[in-house]
Amino acid sequence: MEAFQVPLESTVQTHLRDRLQESGIGAEVIAVGESGKGLNWQMSILPGLLDCYAPQLVISDYIAPLYVFRDGATRPKSSGGSVSAGPPSIQWESLLRTHPVTDALIWKNLSNSAGFVLVSLARILDARPAPTPSSPAPTASVSMISAVDRAADQYASLQRELGEKGARLLVALYPISSTVSERRSPGAPTPLSGRLEDRMEARLDSANVPYVDLTRSFSVADHDVTALFIPGDGHLTETGHRLVAESLVGAIRQEFPRNDPP
């Protein structure tokens, strides 16, 4: 997806390093991630990263509407009961297989036109008929709540482990475009992803784990939502990356005073 990649100099990690250095903290920022993975994967690789880099501060991203499924939650079926939900990419792929146009695009042209294909597919899927007004709104099932609670417990445990190694933890609750849009609508009910974020906030508060809710930061930003997320893709734009970094720097300054820097 080269046409839609954000240049390295415009990414969160570069902005974060530069802003910290401007404030007098000689920081080196190392970004580690893999597409489609959740919190369980983050935790599985962290011991090796701690041994290798010995960081003073670990910032873990948590995306409530995605990680609850990536880390093994279940979602209710319309007929009752529940069904295990795999990573969103698997659900996305199952939709593609049932659409003749997208089927031809993804399987025949993906190798030589990945960026164009992904954006085109997203627009086709977005054009599918919307649910009827009588359709019930999605609710947070017990398993979704349990997944968030388990994640909060993991963070509390991680904070203790990092403290023993002389490091700190900051949890960044990452935004998605739909939740930001809905939070900007006065009087609108809190969306499912927002309710999951609220649950995580409450659990982190009770465990005294530092966090920053980037959805709230984006909800009050002086930018249209389309300027923050790549249309049809969902990833952050260059503006989105910069705003994330600025929010993280603000949280770092608040949680870790200058006389006790991370």
Side-chain angles (χ1 to χ4, degrees):
M1 298 197 313
E2 285 193 22
F4 302 99
Q5 283 182 343
V6 172
L8 179 61
E9 63 271 16
S10 299
T11 57
V12 168
Q13 60 265 33
T14 301
H15 284 303
L16 183 57
R17 179 202 64 194
D18 292 347
R19 297 296 184 277
L20 289 174
Q21 290 181 350
E22 289 169 3
S23 65
I25 300 175
E28 178 183 4
V29 178
I30 300 170
V32 180
E34 185 173 333
S35 180
K37 302 297 185 180
L39 181 62
N40 289 340
W41 176 83
Q42 288 185 37
M43 296 299 181
S44 71
I45 67 167
L46 190 57
L49 295 174
L50 293 177
D51 291 340
C52 180
Y53 295 108
Q56 291 176 285
L57 174 67
V58 173
I59 301 176
S60 173
D61 69 336
Y62 191 80
I63 309 173
L66 299 184
Y67 285 13
V68 291
F69 298 121
R70 292 179 181 178
D71 293 330
T74 58
R75 60 172 56 172
K77 292 191 296 187
S78 57
S79 58
S82 61
V83 61
S84 294
S89 58
I90 302 300
Q91 299 165 24
W92 173 271
E93 186 175 318
S94 67
L95 288 175
L96 300 180
R97 292 178 187 273
T98 61
H99 195 293
V101 176
T102 56
D103 178 73
L105 284 172
I106 195 167
W107 301 124
K108 295 179 181 177
N109 298 331
L110 185 59
S111 61
N112 60 16
S113 187
F116 171 79
V117 168
L118 290 176
V119 170
S120 297
L121 295 180
R123 289 173 181 167
I124 290 172
L125 292 178
D126 287 343
R128 285 170 172 264
T132 61
S134 59
S135 298
T139 57
S141 69
V142 173
S143 60
M144 291 182 187
I145 295 298
S146 296
V148 169
D149 290 350
R150 290 197 306 270
D153 290 341
Q154 283 185 288
Y155 280 133
S157 176
L158 175 61
Q159 181 173 242
R160 291 191 294 271
E161 294 175 14
L162 290 177
E164 294 172 359
K165 296 177 178 289
R168 306 290 185 86
L169 172 66
L170 176 66
V171 178
L173 300 178
Y174 260 62
I176 61 172
S177 58
S178 59
T179 306
V180 172
S181 296
E182 290 170 315
R183 283 192 185 273
R184 286 185 174 194
S185 302
T190 304
L192 171 59
S193 55
R195 295 198 296 276
L196 294 173
E197 285 181 3
D198 291 344
R199 176 78 177 194
M200 176 60 86
E201 285 190 357
R203 289 298 300 264
L204 294 177
D205 266 334
S206 65
N208 294 315
V209 175
Y211 71 90
V212 55
D213 187 339
L214 298 172
T215 297
R216 297 186 191 279
S217 299
F218 274 40
S219 298
V220 298
D222 293 328
H223 296 278
D224 188 79
V225 174
T226 57
L228 303 174
F229 299 91
I230 299 172
D233 176 274
H235 288 88
L236 296 170
T237 62
E238 292 188 28
T239 300
H241 275 263
R242 178 175 55 79
L243 289 179
V244 166
E246 290 174 357
S247 296
L248 290 177
V249 170
I252 291 171
R253 288 173 174 166
Q254 178 178 335
E255 295 292 342
F256 312 111
R258 284 295 303 275
N259 60 356
D260 185 23

Short mmCIF file of all heavy atoms in Angstrom, two decimals, residues 58-116:
data_model
loop_
_atom_site.label_atom_id
_atom_site.label_comp_id
_atom_site.label_asym_id
_atom_site.label_seq_id
_atom_site.Cartn_x
_atom_site.Cartn_y
_atom_site.Cartn_z
N VAL A 58 7.53 2.11 28.55
CA VAL A 58 6.86 1.27 27.57
C VAL A 58 5.47 1.85 27.32
O VAL A 58 4.69 2.03 28.26
CB VAL A 58 6.73 -0.19 28.06
CG1 VAL A 58 5.87 -1.01 27.10
CG2 VAL A 58 8.11 -0.81 28.21
N ILE A 59 5.16 2.19 26.07
CA ILE A 59 3.83 2.67 25.70
C ILE A 59 3.14 1.54 24.94
O ILE A 59 3.60 1.13 23.88
CB ILE A 59 3.90 3.93 24.82
CG1 ILE A 59 4.62 5.05 25.57
CG2 ILE A 59 2.50 4.38 24.42
CD1 ILE A 59 4.82 6.32 24.75
N SER A 60 2.06 1.04 25.49
CA SER A 60 1.31 -0.05 24.86
C SER A 60 0.02 0.50 24.28
O SER A 60 -0.75 1.17 24.95
CB SER A 60 0.99 -1.14 25.89
OG SER A 60 0.13 -2.12 25.33
N ASP A 61 -0.23 0.22 22.98
CA ASP A 61 -1.49 0.66 22.39
C ASP A 61 -2.57 -0.40 22.59
O ASP A 61 -2.30 -1.59 22.56
CB ASP A 61 -1.33 0.98 20.90
CG ASP A 61 -1.08 -0.26 20.05
OD1 ASP A 61 -0.60 -1.26 20.60
OD2 ASP A 61 -1.37 -0.22 18.85
N TYR A 62 -3.79 0.07 22.86
CA TYR A 62 -4.93 -0.84 23.03
C TYR A 62 -6.09 -0.28 22.22
O TYR A 62 -6.48 0.87 22.41
CB TYR A 62 -5.33 -0.98 24.49
CG TYR A 62 -6.31 -2.11 24.71
CD1 TYR A 62 -5.88 -3.42 24.80
CD2 TYR A 62 -7.68 -1.87 24.81
CE1 TYR A 62 -6.76 -4.47 24.98
CE2 TYR A 62 -8.57 -2.91 25.00
CZ TYR A 62 -8.11 -4.20 25.08
OH TYR A 62 -9.00 -5.24 25.25
N ILE A 63 -6.61 -1.08 21.29
CA ILE A 63 -7.70 -0.65 20.42
C ILE A 63 -8.92 -1.48 20.79
O ILE A 63 -9.07 -2.63 20.36
CB ILE A 63 -7.34 -0.83 18.94
CG1 ILE A 63 -5.97 -0.20 18.64
CG2 ILE A 63 -8.41 -0.22 18.04
CD1 ILE A 63 -5.45 -0.48 17.25
N ALA A 64 -9.79 -0.91 21.61
CA ALA A 64 -10.87 -1.68 22.22
C ALA A 64 -11.71 -2.48 21.24
O ALA A 64 -11.94 -3.68 21.44
CB ALA A 64 -11.76 -0.76 23.05
N PRO A 65 -12.22 -1.88 20.13
CA PRO A 65 -13.12 -2.65 19.28
C PRO A 65 -12.42 -3.75 18.47
O PRO A 65 -13.10 -4.57 17.86
CB PRO A 65 -13.72 -1.59 18.35
CG PRO A 65 -12.70 -0.51 18.33
CD PRO A 65 -12.08 -0.50 19.69
N LEU A 66 -11.10 -3.74 18.43
CA LEU A 66 -10.38 -4.76 17.67
C LEU A 66 -9.76 -5.81 18.56
O LEU A 66 -9.88 -7.01 18.32
CB LEU A 66 -9.28 -4.11 16.81
CG LEU A 66 -9.73 -3.12 15.76
CD1 LEU A 66 -8.51 -2.66 14.94
CD2 LEU A 66 -10.77 -3.70 14.83
N TYR A 67 -9.10 -5.38 19.64
CA TYR A 67 -8.33 -6.33 20.44
C TYR A 67 -9.20 -7.29 21.23
O TYR A 67 -8.76 -8.39 21.55
CB TYR A 67 -7.41 -5.56 21.39
CG TYR A 67 -6.20 -4.96 20.72
CD1 TYR A 67 -6.12 -4.87 19.33
CD2 TYR A 67 -5.14 -4.46 21.45
CE1 TYR A 67 -5.02 -4.31 18.71
CE2 TYR A 67 -4.03 -3.89 20.84
CZ TYR A 67 -3.98 -3.81 19.47
OH TYR A 67 -2.89 -3.26 18.87
N VAL A 68 -10.46 -6.91 21.51
CA VAL A 68 -11.31 -7.85 22.23
C VAL A 68 -11.54 -9.11 21.41
O VAL A 68 -11.74 -10.19 21.94
CB VAL A 68 -12.68 -7.23 22.59
CG1 VAL A 68 -12.53 -6.16 23.65
CG2 VAL A 68 -13.40 -6.68 21.37
N PHE A 69 -11.48 -8.99 20.06
CA PHE A 69 -11.61 -10.17 19.21
C PHE A 69 -10.26 -10.81 18.93
O PHE A 69 -10.13 -12.03 18.90
CB PHE A 69 -12.31 -9.79 17.90
CG PHE A 69 -13.70 -9.26 18.10
CD1 PHE A 69 -14.05 -8.01 17.67
CD2 PHE A 69 -14.66 -10.02 18.77
CE1 PHE A 69 -15.33 -7.52 17.86
CE2 PHE A 69 -15.93 -9.54 18.97
CZ PHE A 69 -16.28 -8.28 18.52
N ARG A 70 -9.26 -10.01 18.73
CA ARG A 70 -7.93 -10.56 18.45
C ARG A 70 -7.39 -11.36 19.62
O ARG A 70 -6.57 -12.25 19.44
CB ARG A 70 -6.97 -9.42 18.09
CG ARG A 70 -7.31 -8.75 16.77
CD ARG A 70 -6.37 -7.62 16.43
NE ARG A 70 -6.75 -6.99 15.17
CZ ARG A 70 -6.15 -5.95 14.63
NH1 ARG A 70 -5.11 -5.41 15.25
NH2 ARG A 70 -6.55 -5.45 13.49
N ASP A 71 -7.85 -11.02 20.81
CA ASP A 71 -7.35 -11.71 22.00
C ASP A 71 -8.32 -12.77 22.51
O ASP A 71 -8.22 -13.21 23.65
CB ASP A 71 -7.04 -10.70 23.10
CG ASP A 71 -5.86 -9.81 22.73
OD1 ASP A 71 -4.98 -10.27 21.99
OD2 ASP A 71 -5.83 -8.65 23.17
N GLY A 72 -9.30 -13.17 21.69
CA GLY A 72 -10.09 -14.34 22.03
C GLY A 72 -11.46 -14.12 22.60
O GLY A 72 -12.03 -15.03 23.19
N ALA A 73 -12.06 -12.93 22.40
CA ALA A 73 -13.42 -12.72 22.89
C ALA A 73 -14.41 -13.41 21.95
O ALA A 73 -14.06 -13.82 20.84
CB ALA A 73 -13.75 -11.24 22.95
N THR A 74 -15.65 -13.53 22.38
CA THR A 74 -16.71 -14.05 21.52
C THR A 74 -17.78 -12.99 21.37
O THR A 74 -17.90 -12.10 22.20
CB THR A 74 -17.36 -15.33 22.10
OG1 THR A 74 -17.88 -15.01 23.40
CG2 THR A 74 -16.34 -16.44 22.23
N ARG A 75 -18.55 -13.09 20.31
CA ARG A 75 -19.63 -12.14 20.09
C ARG A 75 -20.94 -12.91 19.94
O ARG A 75 -20.94 -14.05 19.48
CB ARG A 75 -19.39 -11.29 18.85
CG ARG A 75 -19.28 -12.09 17.56
CD ARG A 75 -19.23 -11.18 16.35
NE ARG A 75 -18.16 -10.22 16.44
CZ ARG A 75 -17.82 -9.41 15.44
NH1 ARG A 75 -18.46 -9.48 14.29
NH2 ARG A 75 -16.85 -8.55 15.59
N PRO A 76 -22.06 -12.31 20.35
CA PRO A 76 -23.33 -13.02 20.28
C PRO A 76 -23.81 -13.23 18.85
O PRO A 76 -23.56 -12.39 17.98
CB PRO A 76 -24.28 -12.10 21.05
CG PRO A 76 -23.67 -10.75 20.92
CD PRO A 76 -22.18 -10.96 20.89
N LYS A 77 -24.49 -14.36 18.59
CA LYS A 77 -25.15 -14.60 17.33
C LYS A 77 -26.59 -14.11 17.42
O LYS A 77 -27.18 -14.10 18.48
CB LYS A 77 -25.13 -16.09 16.98
CG LYS A 77 -23.75 -16.64 16.68
CD LYS A 77 -23.82 -18.03 16.09
CE LYS A 77 -24.40 -19.03 17.07
NZ LYS A 77 -24.33 -20.41 16.56
N SER A 78 -27.16 -13.72 16.27
CA SER A 78 -28.51 -13.18 16.29
C SER A 78 -29.52 -14.21 16.77
O SER A 78 -30.56 -13.88 17.31
CB SER A 78 -28.89 -12.70 14.88
OG SER A 78 -28.78 -13.76 13.94
N SER A 79 -29.22 -15.50 16.58
CA SER A 79 -30.15 -16.54 16.97
C SER A 79 -29.96 -16.96 18.43
O SER A 79 -30.59 -17.90 18.90
CB SER A 79 -29.99 -17.76 16.06
OG SER A 79 -28.66 -18.23 16.12
N GLY A 80 -29.09 -16.29 19.14
CA GLY A 80 -28.81 -16.65 20.53
C GLY A 80 -27.52 -17.42 20.63
O GLY A 80 -27.00 -17.96 19.66
N GLY A 81 -26.96 -17.47 21.82
CA GLY A 81 -25.69 -18.15 22.00
C GLY A 81 -24.55 -17.25 21.57
O GLY A 81 -24.71 -16.06 21.35
N SER A 82 -23.38 -17.82 21.44
CA SER A 82 -22.23 -17.02 21.05
C SER A 82 -21.35 -17.82 20.12
O SER A 82 -21.45 -19.04 20.02
CB SER A 82 -21.43 -16.59 22.28
OG SER A 82 -20.95 -17.72 22.97
N VAL A 83 -20.50 -17.09 19.43
CA VAL A 83 -19.60 -17.74 18.47
C VAL A 83 -18.23 -17.09 18.59
O VAL A 83 -18.13 -15.88 18.79
CB VAL A 83 -20.14 -17.61 17.03
CG1 VAL A 83 -20.25 -16.16 16.63
CG2 VAL A 83 -19.23 -18.36 16.04
N SER A 84 -17.19 -17.88 18.51
CA SER A 84 -15.85 -17.32 18.59
C SER A 84 -15.59 -16.42 17.40
O SER A 84 -15.96 -16.75 16.27
CB SER A 84 -14.81 -18.46 18.62
OG SER A 84 -14.93 -19.21 19.80
N ALA A 85 -14.97 -15.30 17.65
CA ALA A 85 -14.67 -14.35 16.58
C ALA A 85 -13.17 -14.29 16.37
O ALA A 85 -12.43 -14.02 17.29
CB ALA A 85 -15.22 -12.97 16.94
N GLY A 86 -12.74 -14.54 15.16
CA GLY A 86 -11.33 -14.46 14.85
C GLY A 86 -10.92 -13.02 14.61
O GLY A 86 -11.71 -12.10 14.82
N PRO A 87 -9.67 -12.80 14.16
CA PRO A 87 -9.23 -11.44 13.87
C PRO A 87 -10.12 -10.78 12.84
O PRO A 87 -10.69 -11.45 11.98
CB PRO A 87 -7.81 -11.67 13.32
CG PRO A 87 -7.40 -12.99 13.84
CD PRO A 87 -8.65 -13.81 13.90
N PRO A 88 -10.28 -9.46 12.90
CA PRO A 88 -11.11 -8.76 11.92
C PRO A 88 -10.74 -9.07 10.49
O PRO A 88 -11.58 -9.07 9.61
CB PRO A 88 -10.87 -7.29 12.26
CG PRO A 88 -10.51 -7.29 13.70
CD PRO A 88 -9.75 -8.57 13.91
N SER A 89 -9.46 -9.34 10.21
CA SER A 89 -9.05 -9.63 8.85
C SER A 89 -9.74 -10.88 8.32
O SER A 89 -10.04 -10.99 7.14
CB SER A 89 -7.53 -9.82 8.79
OG SER A 89 -7.12 -10.85 9.66
N ILE A 90 -10.01 -11.85 9.19
CA ILE A 90 -10.67 -13.07 8.76
C ILE A 90 -12.12 -12.77 8.41
O ILE A 90 -12.65 -13.22 7.39
CB ILE A 90 -10.61 -14.15 9.86
CG1 ILE A 90 -9.15 -14.45 10.21
CG2 ILE A 90 -11.32 -15.41 9.42
CD1 ILE A 90 -8.32 -14.96 9.05
N GLN A 91 -12.80 -11.98 9.24
CA GLN A 91 -14.17 -11.61 8.94
C GLN A 91 -14.23 -10.80 7.64
O GLN A 91 -15.13 -10.98 6.82
CB GLN A 91 -14.75 -10.81 10.10
CG GLN A 91 -14.77 -11.58 11.42
CD GLN A 91 -14.99 -10.68 12.60
OE1 GLN A 91 -15.55 -9.59 12.46
NE2 GLN A 91 -14.55 -11.10 13.76
N TRP A 92 -13.27 -9.91 7.45
CA TRP A 92 -13.18 -9.09 6.24
C TRP A 92 -13.01 -9.99 5.02
O TRP A 92 -13.69 -9.85 4.02
CB TRP A 92 -11.98 -8.16 6.40
CG TRP A 92 -11.60 -7.33 5.22
CD1 TRP A 92 -10.76 -7.68 4.22
CD2 TRP A 92 -12.03 -6.00 4.93
NE1 TRP A 92 -10.63 -6.64 3.33
CE2 TRP A 92 -11.40 -5.60 3.74
CE3 TRP A 92 -12.88 -5.11 5.57
CZ2 TRP A 92 -11.60 -4.34 3.17
CZ3 TRP A 92 -13.07 -3.86 5.01
CH2 TRP A 92 -12.44 -3.49 3.82
N GLU A 93 -12.14 -10.97 5.15
CA GLU A 93 -11.87 -11.87 4.03
C GLU A 93 -13.11 -12.67 3.66
O GLU A 93 -13.38 -12.92 2.48
CB GLU A 93 -10.72 -12.81 4.40
CG GLU A 93 -10.26 -13.69 3.25
CD GLU A 93 -9.04 -14.50 3.65
OE1 GLU A 93 -8.15 -13.93 4.30
OE2 GLU A 93 -9.01 -15.69 3.33
N SER A 94 -13.90 -13.07 4.66
CA SER A 94 -15.10 -13.86 4.36
C SER A 94 -16.10 -13.04 3.55
O SER A 94 -16.82 -13.57 2.71
CB SER A 94 -15.74 -14.36 5.65
OG SER A 94 -16.26 -13.27 6.41
N LEU A 95 -16.16 -11.72 3.80
CA LEU A 95 -17.03 -10.86 3.00
C LEU A 95 -16.54 -10.77 1.57
O LEU A 95 -17.33 -10.78 0.62
CB LEU A 95 -17.09 -9.45 3.62
CG LEU A 95 -17.87 -9.29 4.92
CD1 LEU A 95 -17.71 -7.87 5.45
CD2 LEU A 95 -19.34 -9.59 4.70
N LEU A 96 -15.24 -10.67 1.41
CA LEU A 96 -14.69 -10.55 0.06
C LEU A 96 -15.00 -11.78 -0.78
O LEU A 96 -15.28 -11.68 -1.98
CB LEU A 96 -13.16 -10.36 0.14
CG LEU A 96 -12.66 -9.14 0.90
CD1 LEU A 96 -11.14 -9.10 0.88
CD2 LEU A 96 -13.22 -7.87 0.31
N ARG A 97 -14.97 -12.94 -0.18
CA ARG A 97 -15.18 -14.18 -0.91
C ARG A 97 -16.60 -14.29 -1.46
O ARG A 97 -16.85 -15.05 -2.39
CB ARG A 97 -14.89 -15.39 -0.01
CG ARG A 97 -13.43 -15.55 0.38
CD ARG A 97 -13.28 -16.76 1.31
NE ARG A 97 -11.94 -16.86 1.85
CZ ARG A 97 -10.93 -17.49 1.23
NH1 ARG A 97 -11.12 -18.04 0.05
NH2 ARG A 97 -9.73 -17.56 1.79
N THR A 98 -17.54 -13.56 -0.88
CA THR A 98 -18.94 -13.68 -1.30
C THR A 98 -19.35 -12.58 -2.26
O THR A 98 -20.51 -12.52 -2.66
CB THR A 98 -19.87 -13.63 -0.07
OG1 THR A 98 -19.70 -12.36 0.59
CG2 THR A 98 -19.53 -14.75 0.90
N HIS A 99 -18.45 -11.70 -2.63
CA HIS A 99 -18.77 -10.59 -3.53
C HIS A 99 -18.02 -10.78 -4.84
O HIS A 99 -16.80 -10.77 -4.87
CB HIS A 99 -18.37 -9.27 -2.86
CG HIS A 99 -18.98 -8.07 -3.52
ND1 HIS A 99 -18.66 -7.66 -4.79
CD2 HIS A 99 -19.93 -7.20 -3.07
CE1 HIS A 99 -19.35 -6.59 -5.09
NE2 HIS A 99 -20.13 -6.29 -4.07
N PRO A 100 -18.72 -10.97 -5.96
CA PRO A 100 -18.04 -11.31 -7.23
C PRO A 100 -17.04 -10.26 -7.70
O PRO A 100 -15.99 -10.60 -8.23
CB PRO A 100 -19.20 -11.45 -8.22
CG PRO A 100 -20.35 -10.71 -7.59
CD PRO A 100 -20.17 -10.90 -6.13
N VAL A 101 -17.35 -8.97 -7.48
CA VAL A 101 -16.43 -7.93 -7.93
C VAL A 101 -15.16 -7.94 -7.10
O VAL A 101 -14.04 -7.96 -7.62
CB VAL A 101 -17.11 -6.55 -7.87
CG1 VAL A 101 -16.11 -5.46 -8.24
CG2 VAL A 101 -18.31 -6.51 -8.78
N THR A 102 -15.32 -7.95 -5.79
CA THR A 102 -14.15 -7.93 -4.93
C THR A 102 -13.36 -9.23 -5.05
O THR A 102 -12.15 -9.24 -4.92
CB THR A 102 -14.55 -7.71 -3.47
OG1 THR A 102 -15.48 -8.73 -3.08
CG2 THR A 102 -15.22 -6.37 -3.29
N ASP A 103 -14.06 -10.32 -5.29
CA ASP A 103 -13.37 -11.60 -5.47
C ASP A 103 -12.38 -11.50 -6.63
O ASP A 103 -11.23 -11.92 -6.52
CB ASP A 103 -14.38 -12.71 -5.74
CG ASP A 103 -13.72 -14.05 -5.98
OD1 ASP A 103 -13.23 -14.64 -5.00
OD2 ASP A 103 -13.67 -14.50 -7.14
N ALA A 104 -12.81 -10.93 -7.73
CA ALA A 104 -11.94 -10.80 -8.90
C ALA A 104 -10.78 -9.86 -8.62
O ALA A 104 -9.63 -10.12 -8.99
CB ALA A 104 -12.75 -10.30 -10.09
N LEU A 105 -11.08 -8.76 -7.90
CA LEU A 105 -10.04 -7.78 -7.63
C LEU A 105 -8.96 -8.34 -6.70
O LEU A 105 -7.77 -8.26 -7.00
CB LEU A 105 -10.66 -6.53 -7.00
CG LEU A 105 -11.39 -5.58 -7.94
CD1 LEU A 105 -12.10 -4.51 -7.12
CD2 LEU A 105 -10.45 -4.94 -8.93
N ILE A 106 -9.39 -8.92 -5.58
CA ILE A 106 -8.39 -9.29 -4.58
C ILE A 106 -7.56 -10.48 -5.00
O ILE A 106 -6.36 -10.54 -4.76
CB ILE A 106 -9.05 -9.54 -3.21
CG1 ILE A 106 -7.96 -9.55 -2.13
CG2 ILE A 106 -9.85 -10.83 -3.18
CD1 ILE A 106 -8.48 -9.48 -0.73
N TRP A 107 -8.18 -11.45 -5.65
CA TRP A 107 -7.42 -12.66 -5.96
C TRP A 107 -6.61 -12.52 -7.24
O TRP A 107 -5.61 -13.20 -7.42
CB TRP A 107 -8.35 -13.85 -6.05
CG TRP A 107 -9.11 -14.09 -4.77
CD1 TRP A 107 -10.46 -14.15 -4.63
CD2 TRP A 107 -8.57 -14.25 -3.46
NE1 TRP A 107 -10.79 -14.34 -3.31
CE2 TRP A 107 -9.66 -14.41 -2.57
CE3 TRP A 107 -7.27 -14.29 -2.94
CZ2 TRP A 107 -9.50 -14.59 -1.21
CZ3 TRP A 107 -7.12 -14.46 -1.58
CH2 TRP A 107 -8.21 -14.61 -0.73
N LYS A 108 -7.00 -11.64 -8.16
CA LYS A 108 -6.29 -11.54 -9.44
C LYS A 108 -5.34 -10.35 -9.51
O LYS A 108 -4.36 -10.40 -10.23
CB LYS A 108 -7.30 -11.48 -10.59
CG LYS A 108 -8.13 -12.76 -10.74
CD LYS A 108 -9.12 -12.64 -11.88
CE LYS A 108 -9.96 -13.91 -11.99
NZ LYS A 108 -11.00 -13.81 -13.05
N ASN A 109 -5.66 -9.27 -8.80
CA ASN A 109 -4.88 -8.05 -8.97
C ASN A 109 -4.14 -7.57 -7.73
O ASN A 109 -3.47 -6.56 -7.77
CB ASN A 109 -5.80 -6.90 -9.43
CG ASN A 109 -6.45 -7.18 -10.76
OD1 ASN A 109 -5.88 -7.90 -11.57
ND2 ASN A 109 -7.62 -6.65 -10.98
N LEU A 110 -4.28 -8.29 -6.63
CA LEU A 110 -3.70 -7.81 -5.38
C LEU A 110 -2.19 -7.64 -5.47
O LEU A 110 -1.62 -6.70 -4.95
CB LEU A 110 -4.04 -8.78 -4.24
CG LEU A 110 -3.60 -8.36 -2.84
CD1 LEU A 110 -4.23 -7.03 -2.47
CD2 LEU A 110 -3.99 -9.41 -1.82
N SER A 111 -1.53 -8.55 -6.18
CA SER A 111 -0.07 -8.53 -6.19
C SER A 111 0.50 -7.30 -6.86
O SER A 111 1.59 -6.86 -6.51
CB SER A 111 0.47 -9.79 -6.90
OG SER A 111 0.02 -9.81 -8.24
N ASN A 112 -0.21 -6.72 -7.82
CA ASN A 112 0.39 -5.59 -8.53
C ASN A 112 -0.33 -4.27 -8.29
O ASN A 112 0.00 -3.27 -8.89
CB ASN A 112 0.44 -5.86 -10.05
CG ASN A 112 -0.94 -6.10 -10.65
OD1 ASN A 112 -1.94 -5.79 -10.02
ND2 ASN A 112 -0.98 -6.65 -11.84
N SER A 113 -1.35 -4.26 -7.42
CA SER A 113 -2.06 -3.01 -7.17
C SER A 113 -2.68 -3.01 -5.78
O SER A 113 -3.86 -2.75 -5.60
CB SER A 113 -3.16 -2.82 -8.23
OG SER A 113 -3.76 -1.56 -8.11
N ALA A 114 -1.87 -3.34 -4.78
CA ALA A 114 -2.40 -3.57 -3.44
C ALA A 114 -3.11 -2.34 -2.87
O ALA A 114 -4.21 -2.45 -2.33
CB ALA A 114 -1.27 -4.00 -2.50
N GLY A 115 -2.46 -1.17 -2.96
CA GLY A 115 -3.08 0.00 -2.36
C GLY A 115 -4.42 0.33 -3.01
O GLY A 115 -5.41 0.56 -2.33
N PHE A 116 -4.45 0.31 -4.33
CA PHE A 116 -5.69 0.63 -5.03
C PHE A 116 -6.77 -0.40 -4.71
O PHE A 116 -7.92 -0.06 -4.47
CB PHE A 116 -5.45 0.66 -6.54
CG PHE A 116 -6.72 0.76 -7.34
CD1 PHE A 116 -7.37 1.98 -7.47
CD2 PHE A 116 -7.29 -0.36 -7.93
CE1 PHE A 116 -8.55 2.08 -8.19
CE2 PHE A 116 -8.46 -0.26 -8.65
CZ PHE A 116 -9.09 0.97 -8.78
#
